[in-house]
Amino acid sequence: MHYRNIAIIAHVDHGKTTLVDGMLRQSNVFRANQDVVDRVMDSNALERERGITILAKNTAVHWHDDKINIVDTPGHADFGGEVERALTMVDGALLLVDAAEGPMPQTRFVLRKALARGLEPILVINKIDRKDARPDEVATLTFDLMVELGADDAQLDFPILHAIAREGRAWREGDAPADDLTALFETIHAKVPPASGAKDAPFRMQVANLDYSGYLGRLAVGRVLQGTVRAGEAVVRAAADGTTERARVTKVFTHLGLGRTECDEAEAGDIVALSGVEGVTIGETLCHPDAVEALPIVPVDEPTVSVTFSPNTSPFAGREGTYVTSRHLADRLQRELLTNVALKVEELGGERYRVSGRGELHLSILIETMRREGYEFSVSRPEVILRERDGVVQEPVERVIVEVPSTAMGTVMEALSSRRGTLQHMDPGETRARLEFRVPSRLLFGFRTAFLSMTQGEGMLSHVFDGYEPFAGEAQMRSQGSLVAMEPGEAFAYSLYKLADRGEFFITPGTEVYVGMILGSSTRPGDLNVNVCKNKKLTNVRAAGSDDNLLLTPPRRLSLEEALEYISDDELLEVTPKAFRLRKRVLDPNLRKKAQAAVPTNG
């Protein structure tokens, strides 16, 4: 049997997980009567809710004499740690591009990593049945992108397939539309080389991922680089720092379809999961005891954004969470470091921890996961991580691509220019315009909400980390203050109605509030202390209009990402299993006023 290991590369929502569904179905992995959900590879609850791939996952199909190991890689650059590990296990790549949208920022990020590893891509232009499909132009744009990213002649000589992944169909460019994915499997067989590695050499494997079984403990996932491994054999765990430890493999699993299949032995080229090697971490090498050699750790790009985690100290602390102490928080963050190699955690003292990641989405997924596990904690405003090179302070910059109605193009260009953005490319269409900017990462915080308002919800915004540039200078992007509770209790509709002209509320009548809790956004600069716990006084005197129904403006419901973007330096996000709440760091309004007075002002 030949092993052909491929990764699927695509921007978010371009259909790669749907394409994997079709490959699994047409390789007879499922029974004829088996009920299988769509996007079956998105097994994580958050992945199914958000429609994105977060974790790199393995599956495999048989095609004639080939076993095709498929690695479904995340499409978002914030999960680059997953991408970089996944690419170490493969010899080829399927580059999936939307027939209308073309290459997008996340396509650029993952493709750059694949080309740097020498992988030769197969271009699959998906959603070819869209009315606005432009396959020829998309193929040209992809070629230009690969030239820009430094692809060699072999990589530029890529085959092109047209596909409708939702219907499980693919065919070669220029051929008649097909009814199945035969052309895709044949192209993989012809283009992706069989996995190399001497089967008679001593066993060696580098751990690319970790999993956990309640029966077997920690599972080490990776590609067998050489030799074979059998259940019951002794291996040596070699760390990058030179330390070694002996262990014994208890079970060997290979991938097929959605599950793992236990086998007696696995050979070079296959992607396997091994149990019995407790304490193993990502990047370590498992070797035969007679040939111990630690392979270099796969480099992962440095984090660009950080937040501070701390125990919840609000008056509602401990009401809703199961794990509320700093010890719980520290233990959970240390466990996350075992599998999330792109994350960094630093203890700051005072029960605070600085958590650094690849972007806001990377950190927000961690926050949401911990919240669902029962943790309760506070999070500070995201901050970009600056660095110094040759005496020059540099900051991370994002490549931003927006597609907007032509009527909103001027407004969006003005907004991004005010955020120190530089226009790189403009494609004004008859009805929609496509703009490409480079914008400092910190000045994009909070832009998405404003962008949706500018485009009346019709705009598309995507961005990806694009390197470092000299610091662009200070800029204050939030011009509005907050409405802050000055009395504890229950919010009444009467008070919210009377305060409606003061700002936009985040809460509804009946919400329990505490002093220092942020209730909404003010219409003016500076914070405004308000009392929403005051109800209408009841009298026995009736007057015209006194019993009218109160028509309240619907509150603005903030998502986790929007809440992180909203808070300023003197505010915190309170995260519990049941709610997100915004609050001031200093809850007492008198103490806040004293702290503000103590801050020196210019001039």
Side-chain angles (χ1 to χ4, degrees):
M1 181 180 296
H2 297 295
Y3 299 102
R4 301 184 192 272
N5 303 325
I6 60 169
I8 299 189
I9 298 169
H11 182 79
V12 174
D13 200 33
H14 278 199
K16 58 180 167 49
T17 308
T18 306
L19 183 64
V20 174
D21 283 358
M23 296 176 71
L24 289 170
R25 286 187 170 92
Q26 294 186 28
S27 58
N28 299 319
V29 166
F30 306 125
R31 299 190 312 273
N33 64 342
Q34 187 171 347
D35 185 21
V36 182
V37 298
D38 291 334
R39 293 186 293 112
V40 69
M41 286 290 284
D42 283 345
S43 54
N44 184 292
L46 276 175
E47 292 178 321
R48 300 198 66 82
E49 287 177 21
R50 294 173 180 242
I52 61 175
T53 300
I54 298 171
L55 304 173
K57 292 176 287 295
N58 302 88
T59 186
V61 299
H62 286 298
W63 179 258
H64 299 317
D65 293 332
D66 289 340
K67 180 183 179 184
I68 303 174
N69 284 308
I70 304 168
V71 181
D72 187 16
T73 62
H76 202 287
D78 281 15
F79 308 111
E82 298 283 332
V83 171
E84 285 146 341
R85 295 190 334 243
L87 293 180
T88 63
M89 298 189 287
V90 300
D91 302 303
L94 291 183
L95 173 59
L96 202 67
V97 180
D98 189 289
E101 296 180 4
M104 298 291 278
Q106 276 78 35
T107 314
R108 168 188 294 268
F109 169 80
V110 187
L111 182 58
R112 180 193 293 136
K113 299 291 183 184
L115 294 176
R117 295 196 62 84
L119 302 181
E120 297 182 9
I122 298 169
L123 176 60
V124 180
I125 301 178
N126 191 28
K127 304 184 184 180
I128 203 74
D129 56 334
R130 287 184 57 164
K131 292 181 179 179
D132 54 350
R134 43 175 190 152
D136 294 339
E137 188 176 346
V138 166
T140 302
L141 290 172
T142 305
F143 182 88
D144 294 342
L145 173 61
M146 292 177 64
V147 171
E148 181 184 342
L149 297 178
D152 58 31
D153 292 342
Q155 292 170 328
L156 291 174
D157 186 23
F158 51 83
I160 301 176
L161 298 173
H162 292 175
I164 307 175
R166 178 168 38 85
E167 299 176 4
R169 301 166 58 198
W171 58 93
R172 296 177 183 84
E173 184 184 36
D175 290 355
D179 296 328
D180 56 23
L181 296 174
T182 299
L184 176 62
F185 285 118
E186 291 176 348
T187 306
I188 292 173
H189 175 84
K191 186 70 176 177
V192 179
S196 60
K199 297 177 183 178
D200 55 353
F203 168 69
R204 182 177 299 152
M205 168 184 138
Q206 188 167 30
V207 180
N209 212 341
L210 294 177
D211 204 347
Y212 185 81
S213 166
Y215 298 99
L216 302 172
R218 189 174 299 185
L219 299 175
V221 180
R223 172 178 169 176
V224 180
L225 300 174
Q226 64 180 40
T228 59
V229 60
R230 299 176 182 85
E233 281 188 343
V235 295
V236 171
R237 176 168 67 92
D241 59 4
T243 59
T244 60
E245 182 178 331
R246 292 180 68 91
R248 186 170 298 278
V249 176
T250 56
K251 290 186 182 295
V252 179
F253 298 91
T254 61
H255 297 88
L256 182 63
L258 301 180
R260 295 193 176 109
T261 303
E262 185 177 352
C263 58
D264 294 329
E265 70 172 23
E267 58 188 13
D270 203 359
I271 296 176
V272 302
L274 307 179
S275 66
V277 191
E278 290 298 325
V280 67
T281 60
I282 289 173
E284 292 185 341
T285 308
L286 301 181
C287 316
H288 190 278
D290 297 336
V292 178
E293 179 184 353
L295 298 173
I297 299 293
V298 177
V300 175
D301 289 346
E302 290 296 311
T304 59
V305 177
S306 68
V307 295
T308 301
F309 282 45
S310 57
N312 185 18
T313 57
S314 81
F316 293 172
R319 288 190 182 185
E320 300 168 356
T322 304
Y323 310 105
V324 298
T325 67
S326 62
R327 179 178 60 81
H328 288 137
L329 196 59
D331 291 346
R332 178 61 180 83
L333 291 174
Q334 290 301 317
R335 287 205 312 275
E336 185 68 20
L337 289 176
L338 296 176
T339 56
N340 199 338
V341 295
L343 199 73
K344 288 190 175 180
V345 176
E346 177 186 358
E347 187 172 355
L348 298 178
E351 299 185 334
R352 297 182 304 134
Y353 304 89
R354 178 182 289 126
V355 181
S356 305
R358 292 293 297 271
E360 270 190 292
L361 184 60
H362 185 200
L363 295 173
S364 68
I365 291 295
L366 170 63
I367 294 170
E368 178 67 24
T369 302
M370 292 175 60
R371 181 180 82 86
R372 295 185 181 201
E373 293 173 356
Y375 287 84
E376 184 177 315
F377 52 96
S378 296
V379 182
S380 71
R381 178 177 183 267
E383 298 178 346
V384 298
I385 300 173
L386 305 178
R387 72 179 190 184
E388 187 172 335
R389 290 289 187 275
D390 301 324
V392 178
V393 176
Q394 297 180 333
E395 65 175 335
V397 175
E398 306 268 331
R399 182 179 294 269
V400 181
I401 291 182
V402 296
E403 286 192 15
V404 298
S406 298
T407 54
M409 183 174 69
T411 307
V412 173
M413 290 181 66
E414 182 180 356
L416 286 172
S417 297
S418 68
R419 293 172 181 259
R420 311 290 173 87
T422 55
L423 181 64
Q424 303 292 305
H425 180 73
M426 180 172 63
D427 183 14
E430 293 184 4
T431 58
R432 293 181 69 83
R434 180 185 174 99
L435 308 172
E436 186 172 331
F437 279 82
R438 294 187 85 230
V439 188
S441 300
R442 61 191 168 89
L443 300 183
L444 280 177
F445 293 162
F447 177 67
R448 185 175 296 274
T449 303
F451 172 77
L452 292 175
S453 299
M454 293 173 201
T455 61
Q456 298 181 340
E458 296 184 24
M460 293 177 57
L461 169 70
S462 57
H463 53 89
V464 66
F465 172 70
D466 197 42
Y468 279 82
E469 284 191 355
F471 188 71
E474 296 294 342
Q476 181 64 40
M477 301 316 302
R478 179 176 145 188
S479 59
Q480 299 171 319
S482 297
L483 300 177
V484 186
M486 58 187 294
E487 294 288 341
E490 182 181 318
F492 285 102
Y494 176 77
S495 296
L496 296 177
Y497 179 77
K498 292 294 185 183
L499 294 166
D501 60 339
R502 298 299 183 95
E504 183 180 27
F505 280 98
F506 303 152
I507 64 168
T508 58
T511 302
E512 191 175 1
V513 303
Y514 55 80
V515 177
M517 180 173 164
I518 297 173
L519 310 176
S521 172
S522 174
T523 55
R524 299 181 180 182
D527 296 333
L528 179 65
N529 294 320
V530 296
N531 181 9
V532 294
C533 303
K534 184 167 59 176
N535 200 5
K536 182 179 178 181
K537 301 298 182 183
L538 299 178
T539 70
N540 59 358
V541 178
R542 289 183 175 272
S546 62
D547 294 327
D548 289 347
N549 288 329
L550 302 180
L551 299 179
L552 296 178
T553 303
R556 176 180 161 196
R557 294 293 192 182
L558 296 179
S559 66
L560 173 57
E561 284 82 5
E562 289 172 338
L564 285 171
E565 292 171 352
Y566 176 83
I567 58 178
S568 60
D569 292 335
D570 66 334
E571 297 167 351
L572 294 172
L573 172 63
E574 178 184 349
V575 180
T576 75
K578 295 183 179 179
F580 300 118
R581 301 185 188 92
L582 306 181
R583 52 160 288 190
K584 288 292 183 180
R585 285 183 185 270
V586 180
L587 298 178
D588 189 294
N590 295 320
L591 295 178
R592 274 204 312 275
K593 191 178 297 183
K594 290 180 181 179
Q596 292 171 356
V599 176
T601 57
N602 295 329

